[in-house]
Amino acid sequence: MNTKPSGISERNLRKPPFFSGGARELVRAPHRFFLQLTRDYGDVVQYRATPEPAFLFNHPDFVKHILVSNGRIYNKDTHLNKYMLQAVTGQGLLTSENPLWRKQRRLMQPFFHRRYLARFADLMATATHETLDIIESYAAQKRPFDMANEMMTLTLNIVSRTLFGYDMESHSERIGQAVNTLIEIAKPKRKRFQETLKVLDEIVFDVIQRRRQRPHAEQHDLLDMLIQARYEDSGEGMSDQQIRDEVMSLLIAGHETTANTLGWLWYLLAQQPAVVSQIEDELEVVLNGRSPTVADFPKLTYCDKVIKEAMRLYPSAWSISRRALVDDQIGGYEIPKGSIVAVSPYTLHRHPTFWPEPETFNPERFTPEQEAARHRYAYIPFGAGARKCIGDQFALMESIIILPMTLQRFRLKLVPDHSIEEHALVTLRARHGILMTAASR
């Protein structure tokens, strides 16, 4: 099987195909636009998006080059990162650059190791029980509900409690509405955006200041960790502003992305009764009716495959963009300094060379044998390289708890004739939600 990038030859060396139109398509459905570009032009194509040259790369070799091998010569100075995300997250891990990014990452990395995160498993299970009780009320009334919205509420409760303990309980609804508004508007200059961000800032700064006044003797949540952490070189702690920026990054990345993954997961499973039946068989053997614990995670192998396949088809972070700091060459193509380079997990995860029948939902793609045989960078739901998402283990832990607990209690069906439409904003959402009905088991 030929796994080399397509579209490269002596004839077009250093001059990739150029798509001159597409502004309307790029705005309306950018993820599908990118997918069509790769189908029409191959693994490298230049397109019109900004005043600078913009290139879409769609091969694992190119992903490795941009995000790993030559990652040091690409930064996040792009429209998405600087104009949209940084307006909310400031100089947090999500958008900051070196040397601040490396300093913060080194300080925070130990607290996102799976051994540290295991302490939050019971909290995640408790929050899941609360959401399932709400779904139980819908089931009793035979009322449809928006599963995407329920997953947003659940993951917000989880990330809020792991960040702030229960200090934010009274603010959770306001935080959820604010985060949702910021992502939906995605235009920092708009008055409503600025007003919403101000509300969120007031809540977060208030909690930080109150926590500093009554610090815990031990680290009970991630906010304690941020406040108590000290830089190795100076022994100093983070400023309130830096803590605020990291909190905002964790709020946005820690609840929005996982909620979208779970929403799409339920959408897919509602169309896959055989897969659901196989999950139920595994749950019966491993859990026998009880909620999952950390010790169960390695045994829930089929659940793990299902979650990975959902993230393949619907990666929440559907696009990754970088700016070239110097001239570079990728796969024989010249990339001028200042160019925008884009990699789309949504498109990459549908590359037919690495994913036969790419639109088909098939968890068996993630057997140990299949994973070992596949190119390491053909699957990047959390990014790759030094800037791979720090919260990947947190997100996977949430999913491996929420999936079993939900299927233990309910059979879920899609509401007929409800339009499910992919909506690529900062993250990949369902434009009109995912309406479902639930029946108790």
Side-chain angles (χ1 to χ4, degrees), residues 13 220 260 274 335 373 410 424:
L13 186 67
H220 293 287
N260 288 326
I335 307 301
F410 301 107

Side-chain angles (χ1 to χ4, degrees), residues 77-146:
D77 182 16
T78 65
H79 178 82
L80 172 65
N81 295 316
K82 295 297 183 182
Y83 177 71
M84 294 165 67
L85 287 177
Q86 198 172 82
V88 179
T89 63
Q91 292 297 313
L93 279 181
L94 204 57
T95 54
S96 61
E97 302 287 359
N98 281 323
L100 176 61
W101 174 83
R102 189 172 299 279
K103 185 178 181 181
Q104 291 297 112
R105 179 89 181 204
R106 186 179 295 118
L107 189 69
M108 296 170 64
Q109 186 70 58
F111 300 98
F112 286 88
H113 190 280
R114 66 185 66 187
R115 286 196 301 270
Y116 184 91
L117 294 175
R119 68 177 66 186
F120 297 128
D122 288 344
L123 182 154
M124 292 177 179
T126 298
T128 303
H129 276 301
E130 293 169 5
T131 293
L132 297 182
D133 287 343
I134 293 171
I135 294 176
E136 185 78 57
S137 69
Y138 292 126
Q141 301 171 56
K142 294 183 169 51
R143 285 177 52 197
F145 61 95
D146 184 355

Side-chain angles (χ1 to χ4, degrees), residues 216-234:
H216 295 294
E218 298 179 2
Q219 292 168 346
H220 293 287
D221 54 42
L222 293 175
L223 181 58
D224 286 331
M225 174 271 287
L226 293 172
I227 289 174
Q228 296 179 31
R230 294 292 181 268
Y231 298 112
E232 288 183 1
D233 55 349
S234 66

Side-chain angles (χ1 to χ4, degrees), residues 174-242:
R174 292 173 68 204
I175 293 173
Q177 291 173 346
V179 171
N180 187 63
T181 298
L182 293 173
I183 290 171
E184 284 285 352
I185 296 175
K187 292 186 179 194
K189 292 183 179 179
R190 285 196 179 176
K191 182 179 179 182
R192 189 178 170 209
F193 186 100
Q194 293 296 327
E195 291 173 347
T196 301
L197 186 58
K198 183 179 179 182
V199 169
L200 205 51
D201 274 343
E202 288 173 353
I203 294 172
V204 171
F205 276 121
D206 178 63
V207 173
I208 292 171
Q209 288 163 11
R210 285 192 285 113
R211 186 66 65 84
R212 283 198 188 278
Q213 292 167 7
R214 51 177 182 83
H216 295 294
E218 298 179 2
Q219 292 168 346
H220 293 287
D221 54 42
L222 293 175
L223 181 58
D224 286 331
M225 174 271 287
L226 293 172
I227 289 174
Q228 296 179 31
R230 294 292 181 268
Y231 298 112
E232 288 183 1
D233 55 349
S234 66
E236 296 179 352
M238 292 187 217
S239 67
D240 282 3
Q241 181 64 48
Q242 188 64 48

Side-chain angles (χ1 to χ4, degrees), residues 9-83:
S9 68
E10 289 299 323
R11 182 174 59 82
N12 62 15
L13 186 67
R14 304 171 66 85
K15 190 175 181 181
F18 178 70
F19 180 73
S20 60
R24 184 179 300 174
E25 294 89 340
L26 184 60
V27 170
R28 186 173 64 240
H31 62 309
R32 302 300 297 184
F33 170 67
F34 276 1
L35 184 61
Q36 194 59 49
L37 281 183
T38 62
R39 289 172 175 172
D40 291 345
Y41 294 92
D43 292 336
V44 186
V45 58
Q46 184 177 347
Y47 62 98
R48 189 185 304 279
T50 64
E52 308 89 349
F55 301 86
L56 174 64
F57 290 95
N58 190 52
H59 191 280
D61 288 346
F62 299 152
V63 171
K64 181 180 179 182
H65 181 105
I66 295 165
L67 300 182
V68 184
S69 306
N70 279 33
R72 69 191 182 281
I73 67 167
Y74 290 91
N75 71 9
K76 300 187 79 171
D77 182 16
T78 65
H79 178 82
L80 172 65
N81 295 316
K82 295 297 183 182
Y83 177 71

Side-chain angles (χ1 to χ4, degrees), residues 130 157 160-161 164-173 175:
E130 293 169 5
N157 284 338
S160 293
R161 292 174 190 177
F164 308 109
Y166 285 84
D167 282 358
M168 296 292 260
E169 202 71 9
S170 61
H171 297 298
S172 63
E173 186 173 346
I175 293 173

